[in-house]
């Protein structure tokens, strides 16, 4: 983030990086295909519900709980072992849609709420950024951990960017929010789940995916952990090439999420779902 502060609208500047405009256009076409499907005119709520379930499954998989979709659908007990991760992902997916009106005015409040929902405990560290000396439990991300002061400053900077608004495409803003939260890991736990939920909020709230039927989490999981981490390394590098690669990765994830929901539409049309 610190590498992009030289302009009044740093997020918009990222939109001019090589390949980003093409990613934005490709995402728009993929989203339009879903919204143009005839099933969306009659059964959009069913598609949204299925996208939420599949998105939660994908996000949980990236945090170490890689369950089959039918297992997620069948289970009701999420209180033990890696089931807690799946339960947290499901709760976050449900909560994200309730926080859209708050996001643009108080993104830090939304992030705190997301962590509270994910952790689902009354522990002191829940719902606030970590303090000096507090560690992080994050099974996927092994990047160097910024200290608490850096976390606080960069969270404030991210919040200022969101509140100020940007002419950047929704994909760019969503990718930056996602990448920054993964890089910072501002909470003592559940940072990956929170980062992906925040990406979802941006994509919905921006109007790119207002019905939440293009779950990027599905695409991130399909692309795999290795690809996810390699793209994140690009974001953390702060180089133009690295940032562009991360945005393109996030764009591909949205496209795959859109493809998943297109398949759901086709199944509903055939009466198979």
């Amino acid at each position: 983030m610190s590498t992009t502060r030289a302009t009044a609208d740093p997020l918009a500047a990222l939109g001019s990086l090589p390949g980003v405009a093409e990613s934005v256009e490709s995402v728009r076409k993929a989203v339009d295909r879903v919204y143009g499907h005839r099933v969306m005119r009659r059964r959009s709520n069913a598609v949204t519900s299925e996208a939420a379930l599949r998105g939660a499954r994908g996000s949980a998989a990236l945090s170490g709980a890689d369950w089959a979709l039918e297992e997620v659908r069948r289970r009701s007990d999420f209180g033990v072992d890696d089931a807690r991760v799946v339960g947290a992902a499901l709760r976050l997916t449900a909560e994200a849609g309730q926080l859209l009106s708050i996001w643009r005015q108080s993104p830090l409040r939304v992030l705190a709420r997301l962590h509270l929902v994910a952790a689902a405990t009354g522990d002191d560290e829940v719902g606030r950024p970590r303090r000096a000396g507090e560690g992080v439990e994050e099974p996927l991300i092994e990047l160097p951990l910024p200290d608490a002061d850096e976390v606080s400053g960069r969270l404030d900077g991210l919040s200022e960017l969101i509140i100020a608004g940007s002419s950047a495409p929704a994909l760019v803003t969503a990718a930056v929010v996602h990448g920054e939260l993964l890089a910072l890991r501002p909470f003592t736990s559940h940072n990956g789940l929170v980062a992906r939920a925040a990406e979802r909020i941006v994509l919905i709230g921006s109007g790119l995916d207002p019905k939440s039927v293009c779950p990027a989490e599905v695409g991130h999981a399909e692309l795999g952990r290795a690809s996810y981490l390699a793209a994140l390394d690009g974001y953390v590098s702060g180089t133009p090439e690295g940032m562009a690669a991360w945005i393109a990765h996030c764009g591909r994830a949205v496209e795959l999420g859109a493809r998943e929901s297109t398949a759901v539409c086709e199944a509903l049309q055939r009466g198979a779902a």
Side-chain angles (χ1 to χ4, degrees):
M1 289 288 290
S2 61
T3 63
T4 66
R5 292 183 182 278
T7 66
D9 189 354
L11 296 180
L14 294 176
S16 65
L17 292 174
V20 170
E22 290 81 356
S23 292
V24 169
E25 179 61 20
S26 185
V27 165
R28 169 50 67 188
K29 289 179 179 178
V31 172
D32 285 349
R33 279 194 292 273
V34 178
Y35 279 84
H37 199 286
R38 66 173 63 185
V39 168
M40 285 293 293
R41 294 194 291 272
R42 305 190 310 272
R43 302 188 64 184
S44 64
N45 288 342
V47 181
T48 295
S49 295
E50 190 64 22
L53 185 72
R54 295 176 186 226
R57 192 219 72 83
S59 190
L62 284 174
S63 285
D66 192 358
W67 287 19
L69 179 63
E70 290 310 313
E71 179 70 4
V72 178
R73 199 189 304 279
R74 180 186 66 81
R75 285 283 290 270
S76 58
D77 175 18
F78 297 101
V80 296
D81 301 327
D82 62 352
R84 292 191 180 93
V85 177
V86 179
L90 289 166
R91 291 192 299 273
L92 284 175
T93 300
E95 187 73 11
Q98 310 302 314
L99 299 172
L100 297 173
S101 63
I102 306 172
W103 174 254
R104 283 294 301 273
Q105 286 73 43
S106 185
L108 297 185
R109 179 181 164 195
V110 169
L111 294 175
R113 174 62 184 171
L114 291 174
H115 186 242
L116 186 68
V117 168
T121 71
D123 296 341
D124 172 67
E125 69 271 15
V126 171
R128 61 160 175 79
R130 54 187 168 84
R131 296 169 182 160
E134 291 181 332
V136 170
E137 180 184 349
E138 189 61 49
L140 177 63
I141 310 300
E142 298 180 353
L143 294 167
L145 193 65
D147 64 30
D149 287 341
E150 182 178 353
V151 168
S152 178
R154 288 172 62 175
L155 280 179
D156 286 344
L158 181 63
S159 177
E160 290 168 6
L161 288 176
I162 298 302
I163 293 169
S166 173
S167 62
L171 172 64
V172 172
T173 303
V176 168
V177 168
H178 185 171
E180 189 71 355
L181 293 174
L182 286 178
L184 293 178
R185 283 145 292 160
F187 303 108
T188 57
S189 64
H190 299 93
N191 289 287
L193 294 175
V194 168
R196 292 183 287 275
E199 179 186 49
R200 171 184 284 267
I201 287 172
V202 174
L203 293 171
I204 300 169
S206 67
L208 176 64
D209 181 21
K211 294 183 182 294
S212 192
V213 295
C214 302
E217 305 96 322
V218 168
H220 288 303
E222 184 173 337
L223 291 168
R225 288 189 181 188
S227 179
Y228 190 63
L229 294 176
L232 179 61
D233 283 342
Y235 177 86
V236 173
S237 76
T239 64
E241 296 80 9
M243 296 292 288
W246 170 250
I247 294 167
H249 180 90
C250 291
R252 182 60 179 149
V254 176
E255 290 180 55
L256 290 171
R259 186 182 71 179
E260 184 90 352
S261 285
T262 300
V264 169
C265 288
E266 294 294 332
L268 288 168
Q269 185 168 276
R270 295 192 306 270

